[in-house]
Amino acid sequence: MSTTTFSGIAHVALVVRDMTTSVHFYEDVLAFERVGEVTEGPPSEGHPRRLMRHPGSGMTLGIHEPHRRSGDRFDPQRTGLDHLAVTVPDRATLDAWSTRLDEHGVEHSPTRDAGYAEFVSFCDPDGIAWEIWLPTQG
């Protein structure tokens, strides 16, 4: 095995405009749970953050609200992140996520078929794009 490998993702850090709004979205819509308290981070950064963990997958999000943030919405056309995608095991689970998004009033795409996966797209309150992804080919 190569020494230049990794075994998983430690966390994804998102910069948001309003931590309270984003934390509620990730709790209510995507079922993440808060981990610990809000921490300030190094004083030189002025970068408060809250960790959240998804109990089913173990995925960890760092929700960051820098004191000197730009305040603009996410734009996948700029260099950087385009979207985040999480996988589901079957079509019933993908459909259940569409229903959950509807129940929370979250605008989303219809289920799309890319030929190698089916997926539903939506955005968080800051416009950060997410996909619920069902691989259909090995």
Side-chain angles (χ1 to χ4, degrees), residues 30-118:
L30 297 183
F32 278 81
E33 297 174 349
R34 298 175 196 208
V35 176
E37 299 298 320
V38 173
T39 59
E40 186 63 32
S44 61
E45 290 183 23
H47 211 154
R49 60 201 65 180
R50 165 166 296 284
L51 289 180
M52 301 188 78
R53 186 170 295 121
H54 188 265
S57 68
M59 181 179 187
T60 301
L61 290 179
I63 306 297
H64 294 239
E65 184 183 15
H67 297 305
R68 295 183 309 271
R69 63 195 173 282
S70 66
D72 57 337
R73 280 181 56 85
F74 174 81
D75 181 350
Q77 302 306 314
R78 288 194 299 259
T79 301
L81 179 70
D82 181 71
H83 68 275
L84 298 165
V86 293
T87 58
V88 294
D90 52 46
R91 181 58 190 260
T93 306
L94 181 63
D95 292 342
W97 274 107
S98 289
T99 300
R100 183 176 179 95
L101 294 170
D102 288 340
E103 290 169 353
H104 287 280
V106 176
E107 188 176 320
H108 62 88
S109 72
T111 300
R112 298 180 191 160
D113 187 343
Y116 46 86
E118 294 179 301

Side-chain angles (χ1 to χ4, degrees), residues 15-26 63-66 69 71 124-126:
V15 172
V16 301
R17 295 176 296 173
D18 182 282
M19 186 181 298
T20 300
T21 299
S22 294
V23 165
H24 286 299
F25 176 86
Y26 286 106
I63 306 297
H64 294 239
E65 184 183 15
R69 63 195 173 282
D124 80 354
D126 292 290

